[in-house]
Amino acid sequence: MELYKKILLLIIVFTIFSCQKEDGKIDFTFLQVNDVYEIAPIQGGEFGGMARVETVHKELLKENKNTMLFMAGDFLSPSLLGTIKVDGERVRGKQMVEVMNSMNFDLVAFGNHEFDISQKDLQKRLNESNFPWISANVKLKTKEKSMPFYKEINGKKEPVNETFIKEFSDEDGTTIKVGFISVCIPSNPKEFVQYGNMFVKARASYAALQDSVDVVFGLTHVKLTNDKRIAKLIPNLPLIMGGHEHTNSYDTIGSVLISKADANAKTAYIHRISFDKKTKKTSVKSELKEINSSIKSDEKVAQIVDKWQTILTSKIKNIIPNPEEVIYTAKTPLDGRDTPIRSIQTNLGEIITKSMSFAFDDSVDCALVNGGSIRIDDQLTGAINAVDIFRVLPYGGPVLKVQIKGRLLKRVLDYGLLAAGTGAYLQRFNAEKVGEKWMIQNKELNINKTYTVAFSDYLLKGFDIPFLSSENKEVLSVYSPKEDELASDIRKAVVEYLKKMESN
């Protein structure tokens, strides 16, 4: 009798649920990160860390199985890990793909920094990734034609699509199709990349999608001003999840929301979304979630991160014996963010160039480094160790002592100033422009005099400043330091200079 009652109860419950009608409403969640270059926590372990992001991801999946994890571009480069060699080959974002594979990213957009690495390395990362990529305006350019980027798996090429469709369903049977469009800023010209017009391609991909899905969202990697223009061109997008800027923002253009999280997963955006099939209305509730030390790391992802961090530490020890040792305490944040470091003199730029002079016992007249060599795109504050300095200057390289004619030095300084906003902008020590005159050690630059200048070795290769190379007749001599000298690696010079500052 008791068994009969239980069976009857199960039949009643099943009947109730099976008769439950589709209500036409469905909820889903988006978790957005963008511009993530570091897999491990930053700022002394206080913020960021992909293992912490994964903990948030899993919690959201428990809350709602219809949860998607997004990367809005810029993750393969730049990073300190990406510059090191493992088994004779530079890492070039391999560590990031491995971590993202373990996190089961649902969709990623191309960012401009994905094209920092070579076509060959990018192809390897595409092939290794188990997540879909999307872009409407970046194509692979060959000698014969342009074509979509692709993954090659078991000899078969799978093209990167211009759009992406995801289907959601809930317990009562409500089903919808959600579409995504994506464009990337054309700010990193490469021979193997063809950039289509961002706005034309965004509109075209939306038009191609709108009749086959219920709602379309944006996943972009462009400037905020570009996102705002896209929002005006496509006013029916409920949300654009964007990247490129490294500081969180949340804007509304008409009824279009535009969200950007902080770089390096210091924050992530959680978007809880409801869609009504009858009214076609979408509501979005967004939460900016700080990723900090209060969030436990996911064990599976943390194991992969720890593996790569161990490799990194061993490589750094080849140059600095105690990479984790605190060498300096920054009470004022040292500014290495991309925009300022490439536009104005910053306190971090001053420390680096003072270190270059320090490496030669201050026997140089001035010191110059291109802002583009400083790749941390962050502010350093509090306890700083050698690993932080390697993150600031991942490519390292020697500091060169160069005898140079005053006429050429003036041309170099003028060029660097006019290059504000680019990597060729010069951070300087003992070189300052006062009115219309350049001052070297507080004395007016004499174009007929010979000056001794500390240059980063990259600057003498003529990439950023085309006329500055050892081939120029006004470069009189170039001294390249020996391996045991402090100037043999710019990072060693900065570490030792900061130690001296800390002890004073």
Side-chain angles (χ1 to χ4, degrees):
M1 189 68 182
E2 193 65 32
L3 180 61
Y4 173 77
K5 285 181 179 178
K6 286 181 179 179
I7 293 170
L8 185 62
L9 182 61
L10 283 170
I11 291 170
I12 292 167
V13 170
F14 177 77
T15 304
I16 289 169
F17 279 95
S18 62
C19 293
Q20 192 175 22
K21 291 184 178 179
E22 175 193 344
D23 64 1
K25 296 177 182 178
I26 191 166
D27 298 332
F28 48 98
T29 304
F30 293 162
L31 176 58
Q32 169 200 349
V33 290
N34 51 270
D35 303 88
V36 181
Y37 312 108
E38 300 292 341
I39 55 176
I42 60 172
Q43 292 181 218
E46 189 61 34
F47 298 103
M50 293 295 265
R52 292 170 180 167
V53 174
E54 178 60 3
T55 296
V56 175
H57 180 214
K58 285 183 174 176
E59 287 171 354
L60 291 172
L61 281 165
K62 286 179 185 175
E63 179 187 299
N64 187 341
K65 68 181 178 69
N66 291 324
T67 293
M68 294 182 73
L69 175 58
F70 298 91
M71 176 71 77
D74 274 11
F75 55 95
L76 293 183
S77 175
S79 72
L80 174 55
L81 255 169
T83 66
I84 67 171
K85 283 186 177 180
V86 176
D87 298 327
E89 190 174 305
R90 294 208 183 271
V91 173
R92 303 287 192 233
K94 185 181 180 71
Q95 83 286 2
M96 188 64 74
V97 171
E98 189 174 339
V99 166
M100 290 170 66
N101 280 344
S102 71
M103 295 171 71
N104 296 313
F105 268 77
D106 291 281
L107 189 62
V108 308
F110 280 95
N112 54 292
H113 280 304
E114 269 59 81
F115 306 118
D116 286 353
I117 62 179
S118 69
Q119 180 185 346
K120 181 182 175 183
D121 286 326
L122 177 56
Q123 190 60 58
K124 287 179 182 177
R125 303 296 86 87
L126 283 160
N127 296 349
E128 291 160 1
S129 63
N130 64 15
F131 43 81
W133 301 59
I134 181 178
S135 183
N137 76 316
V138 294
K139 303 291 181 188
L140 174 62
K141 187 165 66 174
T142 67
K143 290 180 180 179
E144 297 79 28
K145 59 179 180 178
S146 67
M147 57 187 283
F149 281 94
Y150 59 88
K151 292 184 188 185
E152 189 165 354
I153 302 167
N154 298 323
K156 185 181 177 184
K157 293 181 179 180
E158 297 179 2
V160 169
N161 293 321
E162 294 193 359
T163 60
F164 184 82
I165 297 175
K166 175 75 173 180
E167 193 169 295
F168 288 131
S169 61
D170 63 11
E171 284 73 13
D172 66 25
T174 303
T175 302
I176 63 164
K177 287 183 178 179
V178 179
F180 297 91
I181 61 172
S182 180
V183 288
C184 174
I185 188 169
S187 64
N188 195 0
K190 298 287 178 174
E191 286 186 1
F192 67 93
V193 184
Q194 182 183 70
Y195 293 95
N197 183 285
M198 294 181 288
F199 309 109
V200 171
K201 296 300 288 184
R203 287 182 73 175
S205 52
Y206 177 80
L209 263 185
Q210 61 178 336
D211 292 335
S212 54
V213 298
D214 295 282
V215 60
V216 179
F217 294 89
L219 181 69
T220 64
H221 191 90
V222 299
K223 290 181 180 179
L224 181 57
T225 51
N226 303 145
D227 276 319
K228 289 180 176 180
R229 185 173 168 187
I230 290 168
K232 289 178 181 177
L233 289 170
I234 315 172
N236 292 329
L237 292 173
L239 170 69
I240 297 173
M241 295 176 284
H244 195 61
E245 279 83 6
H246 288 192
T247 306
N248 76 78
S249 61
Y250 198 70
D251 292 89
T252 306
I253 300 296
S255 60
V256 184
L257 301 172
I258 305 167
S259 64
K260 303 193 186 222
D262 292 283
N264 284 322
K266 285 187 280 190
T267 61
Y269 255 113
I270 299 169
H271 308 288
R272 292 179 174 88
I273 304 165
S274 294
F275 181 77
D276 190 321
K277 288 183 76 172
K278 295 173 185 174
T279 64
K280 302 293 183 185
K281 287 188 177 177
T282 309
S283 67
V284 181
K285 292 182 180 178
S286 302
E287 172 195 353
L288 185 66
K289 176 81 172 176
E290 186 174 88
I291 308 299
N292 58 36
S293 57
S294 70
I295 300 170
K296 187 180 177 182
S297 293
D298 177 78
E299 287 184 13
K300 179 184 172 186
V301 176
Q303 283 181 355
I304 299 170
V305 172
D306 290 346
K307 178 193 80 172
W308 282 105
Q309 291 303 111
T310 301
I311 293 169
L312 176 64
T313 303
S314 69
K315 295 288 182 181
I316 294 174
K317 281 182 177 177
N318 293 334
I319 302 170
I320 303 289
N322 303 306
E324 301 295 339
E325 176 193 0
V326 174
I327 56 173
Y328 183 71
T329 304
K331 294 174 183 175
T332 302
L334 303 180
D335 199 349
R337 292 173 298 170
D338 267 2
T339 299
I341 207 75
R342 295 170 180 233
S343 305
I344 59 172
Q345 286 290 120
T346 78
N347 53 0
L348 180 58
E350 184 179 18
I351 282 174
I352 291 168
T353 47
K354 280 184 176 179
S355 302
M356 293 165 67
S357 176
F358 171 74
F360 291 114
D361 297 320
D362 297 319
S363 62
V364 297
D365 296 301
C366 62
L368 305 173
V369 66
N370 55 309
S373 290
I374 300 161
R375 304 304 291 267
I376 190 169
D377 199 8
D378 198 358
Q379 297 184 90
L380 293 178
T381 187
I384 294 171
N385 60 27
V387 177
D388 294 315
I389 303 309
F390 275 64
R391 287 177 57 223
V392 171
L393 296 158
Y395 296 106
V399 182
L400 305 178
K401 192 174 185 178
V402 182
Q403 297 273 313
I404 183 174
K405 279 288 189 182
R407 182 184 296 101
L408 179 57
L409 177 58
K410 182 180 183 303
R411 282 183 70 199
V412 167
L413 291 168
D414 285 340
Y415 190 98
L417 202 60
L418 289 170
T422 75
Y425 179 82
L426 297 176
Q427 295 290 327
R428 310 179 300 272
F429 172 58
N430 273 341
E432 182 184 6
K433 194 162 193 184
V434 179
E436 296 299 312
K437 297 177 181 178
W438 280 106
M439 309 296 285
I440 305 297
Q441 293 188 339
N442 298 317
K443 294 179 181 177
E444 185 179 349
L445 186 153
N446 181 346
I447 61 170
N448 297 312
K449 184 180 173 181
T450 297
Y451 289 91
T452 305
V453 181
F455 281 109
S456 57
D457 73 320
Y458 181 85
L459 271 177
L460 262 288
K461 293 175 181 177
F463 294 135
D464 273 356
I465 302 177
F467 53 83
L468 180 61
S469 76
S470 56
E471 304 300 314
N472 191 305
K473 291 179 181 178
E474 292 186 314
V475 172
L476 306 179
S477 69
V478 178
Y479 174 75
S480 187
K482 298 178 181 66
E483 196 172 319
D484 60 346
E485 292 183 79
L486 190 57
S488 63
D489 192 303
I490 190 171
R491 299 168 299 195
K492 281 202 294 189
V494 176
V495 167
E496 292 306 315
Y497 178 72
L498 286 176
K499 281 184 180 178
K500 180 189 172 188
M501 284 181 65
E502 184 77 353
S503 62
N504 289 344

